[in-house]
Amino acid sequence: MTDIIPLWVSNRHVHLSKTDAEALFGEWFELTPIKDLSQPGQFAAAECVILKWPKWQIEKVRILWPYRPQTQVEILMADQFKLWVMAPIRLSWDLEWTPGLEIIAWEKSITIPQWVMIAKRHIHMLPEDAEKYGVKDHQIVKIKCGWERWLIFDEVVVRVTTTSKLDTHIDTEEANAAWVSNWSIIELITD
């Protein structure tokens, strides 16, 4: 079966815990929204951080809101070579056995002992979307995206929650390979 679903492209970014945000920016600081994200109630903040480990760094890494229970850093595959960090490909909540690094903002820094990963391709769905497309939570599917340089990506995880908006998330390296951008359309392949 194939069907059409919107696409959202994600660059490297940081999800901060409230405790780590206060350590970097101060107790009463509020993140400044600059752009809504594809999922309801989430935004990219104007504030950025520097990722550093051990001697190299990547600047202007965007912070995403809302705060998470645990700080999480999502990098691109190529960032591993710049940071000298070997990050596994994982889903958001699967942070065990991941590397750490230093996060710097406003001349303050924190060092996280782990929680650095490369985001696994995934599709957000409501339960009614999953029923419509004949898939279930954590099912592995394929997607076809692009036009002139179309690609089929395997190992895409379906994530079903009651708060999701239907869309597919891939990172900028994957999007560049398929020559797609935000709001492009993908085909879901389930057989």
Side-chain angles (χ1 to χ4, degrees):
M1 173 189 178
T2 63
D3 218 321
I4 295 176
I5 296 174
L7 179 72
W8 188 263
V9 179
S10 179
N11 201 351
R12 69 181 68 85
H13 59 270
V14 174
H15 298 278
L16 290 174
S17 68
K18 185 164 179 30
T19 302
D20 287 343
E22 289 176 352
L24 290 170
F25 297 105
E27 186 175 350
W28 304 108
F29 184 80
E30 295 286 334
L31 292 171
T32 310
I34 60 165
K35 180 172 127 182
D36 288 335
L37 300 179
S38 66
Q39 292 301 302
Q42 298 183 18
F43 66 78
E47 293 77 21
C48 293
V49 295
I50 298 168
L51 303 180
K52 183 176 182 180
W53 194 266
K55 60 182 179 177
W56 304 101
Q57 65 186 31
I58 299 175
E59 299 181 2
K60 298 181 181 175
V61 179
R62 189 74 55 203
I63 300 170
L64 302 187
W65 193 88
Y67 294 129
R68 296 263 178 109
Q70 179 62 62
T71 292
Q72 173 180 311
V73 176
E74 296 183 25
I75 63 173
L76 303 173
M77 189 71 72
D79 293 343
Q80 295 183 102
F81 306 108
K82 185 160 190 176
L83 293 170
W84 289 70
V85 170
M86 293 305 294
I89 299 171
R90 298 278 178 84
L91 291 172
S92 291
W93 60 82
D94 185 11
L95 300 174
E96 192 174 7
W97 304 106
T98 54
L101 50 63
E102 183 180 7
I103 301 173
I104 304 166
W106 290 11
E107 299 181 3
K108 294 181 182 177
S109 73
I110 58 170
T111 299
I112 56 172
Q114 54 183 24
W115 315 306
V116 177
M117 42 86 80
I118 298 164
K120 190 169 184 69
R121 298 182 284 264
H122 57 278
I123 302 174
H124 290 281
M125 290 187 180
L126 290 165
E128 52 266 34
D129 296 322
E131 184 176 347
K132 173 184 174 183
Y133 297 123
V135 296
K136 59 186 182 207
D137 191 33
H138 288 86
Q139 182 173 338
I140 304 297
V141 297
K142 297 178 185 179
I143 60 171
K144 177 181 176 182
C145 58
W147 303 108
E148 292 184 39
R149 296 184 68 184
W150 66 268
L151 290 173
I152 293 177
F153 290 110
D154 200 355
E155 296 297 314
V156 182
V157 181
V158 175
R159 297 177 63 183
V160 181
T161 70
T162 58
T163 58
S164 296
K165 178 181 170 191
L166 180 64
D167 71 355
T168 302
H169 288 193
I170 63 174
D171 70 30
T172 54
E173 292 172 327
E174 294 164 325
N176 289 341
W179 204 15
V180 293
S181 59
N182 287 341
W183 310 117
S184 295
I185 300 298
I186 65 102
E187 282 185 58
L188 172 63
I189 304 169
T190 58
D191 40 39

